[in-house]
Amino acid sequence: QVQLVESGGGSVQAGGSLRLSCVVSGYTYSSFNCMGWFRQAPGKEREGVAAIYTAGGSTYYADSVKGRFTISQDDAKATVYLQIHSLKPEDTAMYYCAARLRSGGPWFGPLSAYGYDYWGQGTQVTVSS
């Protein structure tokens, strides 16, 4: 069965950096059309922050993270990464990895949680002032 496992979260000071990783197992990485990173802070909606299409590598970012977050992938390692620089306190959230199958259902765009088929357990990012 498909499993997504995130890692790399932690507690850092504002201005610091982190690299999150998401390892995919169960299906080949190419079975997925799009991989995404989402975050959710307490009391707030789940927000799509970055996404990448597995074929071609086109990327998409939320306005709030453009210039600071970079999504990338390694097909051989079945892993998607989120490199984060210049962290801000408002980046504090649980970060989730998501995957959409090529044969998936309705699509609402790469930064919408609706349409993704599988989710990881999340990794916590906490940024202090």
Side-chain angles (χ1 to χ4, degrees):
Q1 59 183 350
V2 172
Q3 187 174 21
L4 308 180
V5 180
E6 304 99 327
S7 62
S11 298
V12 298
Q13 292 186 323
S17 299
L18 287 171
R19 188 174 74 158
L20 310 184
S21 298
C22 173
V23 179
V24 181
S25 63
Y27 287 171
T28 59
Y29 188 76
S30 61
S31 296
F32 300 100
N33 183 53
C34 189
M35 301 292 298
W37 283 99
F38 296 78
R39 67 185 182 187
Q40 187 165 25
K44 294 187 176 182
E45 294 184 338
R46 184 166 46 185
E47 175 189 22
V49 298
I52 185 167
Y53 282 87
T54 61
S58 297
T59 59
Y60 300 84
Y61 298 95
D63 288 342
S64 59
V65 307
K66 285 182 178 178
R68 300 187 299 117
F69 288 25
T70 301
I71 188 170
S72 61
Q73 62 190 344
D74 187 331
D75 182 69
K77 295 181 179 179
T79 302
V80 60
Y81 304 95
L82 187 68
Q83 181 69 55
I84 309 173
H85 295 293
S86 302
L87 277 160
K88 303 175 181 179
E90 52 262 44
D91 294 321
T92 296
M94 184 72 76
Y95 283 71
Y96 298 93
C97 179
R100 176 179 169 83
L101 292 168
R102 291 187 177 276
S103 59
W107 183 235
F108 300 90
L111 297 181
S112 173
Y114 302 105
Y116 283 86
D117 299 291
Y118 299 100
W119 295 83
Q121 83 290 343
T123 185
Q124 179 68 38
V125 172
T126 302
V127 185
S128 60
S129 300

